[in-house]
Amino acid sequence: MAKKIVSDLNVKGKKVLIRVDFNVPMKNGVITDDTRVRAALPTIKWVIDNGGKAIVFSHLGRVKEASDIAKNDITPVAKRLEELIGKKVNFVNATRGKELEDGVAALKDGEILMFQNTRYEDFDVAANKETKKESKNDPELGAYWASLGDVFVNDAFGTAHRAAASNVGIAANVKETAAGFLLEKEIKFIGGAVDNPRRPYVAILGGAKVSDKIGVIEALIQKADKILVGGAMMFTFLKAQGVNTGASKVEDDKLDLAKELLAKANGKLVLPVDAITNKAFEDVPGVAKDVDKFADDDMGLDIGPKTLELFAKELAGAKTVVWNGPMGVFEFANYNKGTIGVCELLANLKDAATIIGGGDSAAAAEQLGYANKVSHISTGGGASLEYLEGKELPGIACVDEK
Ligand code: ADP
Ligand code: MG
């Protein structure tokens, strides 16, 4: 079954509630990266270009105590939206009440209103108490926001793995709910890889810890044809096989689990054959060593060139590739070659759906200049992992079928 998309809606003259993900990084009230605002433009534009009244809202950061309120004021994001979309954004500095309701009532077709951080509703200022009304999907709040509009468009993938008042709560109280274009793309690529991958289907997993990704590894062992492992987690698997991993980062309490996963994987898990090592966790040039030649003080900080060759062979001919987790400490220029190498391998695959999911791996691919050379970079870290696990995401489940 296919989900209803914003472009399936007749929005002319309607008040369209649009949940976006404007949870942008900020420093002292200044946006340091506006990718998420840019990414939401197509959906908002479609609504106003087709005569809808756009009511836009998002969470920003976490609001757990009084001091979080000023810190997470979303006003700068509304200003940035106005600059990027080139139209006035009527900002309402409230999440409910008369000013918001009057603002909505005054909207003309094709106009935009944005209201304050939805997570302001997580904290009751008068009672000086955390209430989590937004984050825990308080039914009254979802119904209230729903009452402000005629139809609902969810375009926030980053929070789709949690039921909040601003996604599931609203959807339960409006006649029609559709996915925005950004959510549509996540469903198409990640959902496609989960439900119906073209084969060979190769997964690449890296990053910090096995323990963060147990669910995904288990799911991929069932679904994928091969799973290539890099990042720090490779050393937990290698140690589980009895290899001396020296001073590399290992989760010693996960060795039994790693053994179990290796057994279950039945040869599908491909481990690195070499690594770039250093004697300390610092950004100075390292030495490539085969993984069975580590000294006790060797610390593996990246996969090595032989491993990249091995991965290239495993990836040849792949039709679906999902990648989560950097191959090494990509934040260090001396240890980013493995991650760059994998970006390069993905970029050069012909006729394959190449999907990057995960906070740091997505950031790495963008930072290293590969954002436009893969099919899809997911906009959600935790959400993309849970989606890959095959879990139903509440923020997607609440969207109507066509
Ligand atoms: P993602 O956010 O893509 O899921 P993770 O958060 O799991 O990725 O892991 C990213 C982190 O893993 C990065 O900060 C990176 O420096 C670290 N990392 C990768 N390889 C190693 C390694 N060999 N040793 C230590 N840290 C590593
Ligand atoms: Mg991360």
Side-chain angles (χ1 to χ4, degrees):
M1 263 188 296
K3 291 284 181 184
K4 195 178 274 187
I5 308 304
V6 56
S7 49
D8 296 324
L9 299 175
N10 175 7
V11 297
K12 177 109 191 71
K14 288 194 184 142
K15 291 172 282 182
V16 186
L17 298 159
I18 311 176
R19 177 32 160 127
V20 291
D21 181 359
F22 282 174
N23 186 32
V24 294
M26 300 240 262
K27 235 184 201 152
N28 306 322
V30 179
I31 300 169
T32 54
D33 179 359
D34 64 6
T35 309
R36 287 184 166 169
V37 185
R38 291 174 190 277
L41 294 178
T43 296
I44 302 172
K45 270 194 182 139
W46 194 91
V47 168
I48 57 174
D49 288 350
N50 286 278
K53 305 167 189 191
I55 302 159
V56 178
F57 48 97
S58 171
H59 78 287
L60 176 66
R62 288 209 174 96
V63 181
K64 290 170 167 294
E65 46 191 84
S67 64
D68 291 333
I69 293 178
K71 243 185 263 170
N72 293 300
D73 183 347
I74 208 163
T75 311
V77 187
K79 292 214 178 86
R80 182 61 56 89
L81 171 62
E82 187 165 82
E83 287 160 19
L84 291 172
I85 207 159
K87 280 202 83 164
K88 181 164 174 45
V89 172
N90 300 284
F91 183 69
V92 175
N93 185 17
T95 49
R96 61 166 85 217
K98 185 166 176 356
E99 193 197 340
L100 176 57
E101 289 152 27
D102 288 350
V104 169
L107 270 183
K108 297 199 184 70
D109 294 358
E111 289 186 346
I112 307 167
L113 176 148
M114 183 170 147
F115 65 81
Q116 189 48 277
N117 184 357
T118 55
R119 285 199 182 151
Y120 274 26
E121 290 285 342
D122 279 352
F123 190 81
D124 182 334
V125 178
N128 193 30
K129 197 175 124 221
E130 190 182 20
T131 57
K132 293 201 170 226
K133 283 191 174 175
E134 150 72 331
S135 298
K136 285 263 153 66
N137 188 17
D138 175 74
E140 183 272 331
L141 181 58
Y144 172 70
W145 280 335
S147 75
L148 299 173
D150 301 309
V151 292
F152 177 45
V153 175
N154 188 17
D155 208 16
F157 179 69
T159 48
H161 57 318
R162 302 279 179 266
S166 65
N167 56 20
V168 171
I170 296 175
N173 289 284
V174 292
K175 275 200 215 90
E176 254 187 319
T177 298
F181 295 123
L182 210 54
L183 193 64
E184 179 193 24
K185 205 171 169 233
E186 301 282 359
I187 295 169
K188 179 179 165 201
F189 283 102
I190 304 187
V194 170
D195 294 334
N196 196 14
R198 287 169 65 219
R199 296 185 185 276
Y201 172 17
V202 181
I204 309 170
L205 286 178
K209 293 180 184 166
V210 180
S211 54
D212 286 343
K213 302 191 176 164
I214 299 167
V216 174
I217 300 172
E218 301 241 11
L220 289 171
I221 286 174
Q222 306 294 321
K223 282 263 165 75
D225 298 301
K226 278 282 164 68
I227 304 160
L228 317 181
V229 177
M233 72 157 77
M234 68 187 253
F235 296 108
T236 301
F237 283 110
L238 286 166
K239 191 166 179 182
Q241 288 187 325
V243 171
N244 177 16
T245 53
S248 307
K249 194 172 164 181
V250 168
E251 283 175 280
D252 280 308
D253 59 334
K254 292 290 175 296
L255 293 174
D256 286 337
L257 172 78
K259 265 182 218 161
E260 258 171 57
L261 291 170
L262 283 164
K264 262 193 217 166
N266 201 12
K268 278 187 184 178
L269 276 173
V270 179
L271 297 180
V273 290
D274 64 345
I276 312 294
T277 64
N278 193 9
K279 299 294 181 189
F281 190 80
E282 53 186 21
D283 193 7
V284 293
V287 181
K289 285 198 180 176
D290 290 353
V291 292
D292 56 357
K293 303 261 160 39
F294 274 38
D296 290 345
D297 62 348
D298 279 331
M299 185 185 286
L301 296 179
D302 195 7
I303 57 171
K306 290 182 191 168
T307 301
L308 269 175
E309 265 175 52
L310 173 67
F311 285 5
K313 270 191 209 128
E314 297 288 355
L315 281 166
K319 292 283 183 270
T320 304
V321 183
V322 165
W323 174 24
N324 172 279
M327 294 292 100
V329 185
F330 73 97
E331 298 93 336
F332 290 171
N334 285 289
Y335 298 94
N336 66 9
K337 307 293 173 300
T339 302
I340 294 177
V342 166
C343 284
E344 198 63 38
L345 290 174
L346 260 57
N348 289 326
L349 278 177
K350 302 270 176 287
D351 186 32
T354 48
I355 302 151
I356 303 182
D360 289 295
S361 12
E366 261 153 34
Q367 215 173 292
L368 299 168
Y370 286 86
N372 299 320
K373 297 186 175 158
V374 294
S375 313
H376 179 59
I377 296 191
S378 177
T379 52
S384 66
L385 277 179
E386 290 197 21
Y387 203 10
L388 276 178
E389 278 178 46
K391 286 191 188 159
E392 176 173 83
L393 306 195
I396 293 179
C398 74
V399 174
D400 297 343
E401 302 291 336
K402 261 194 209 205

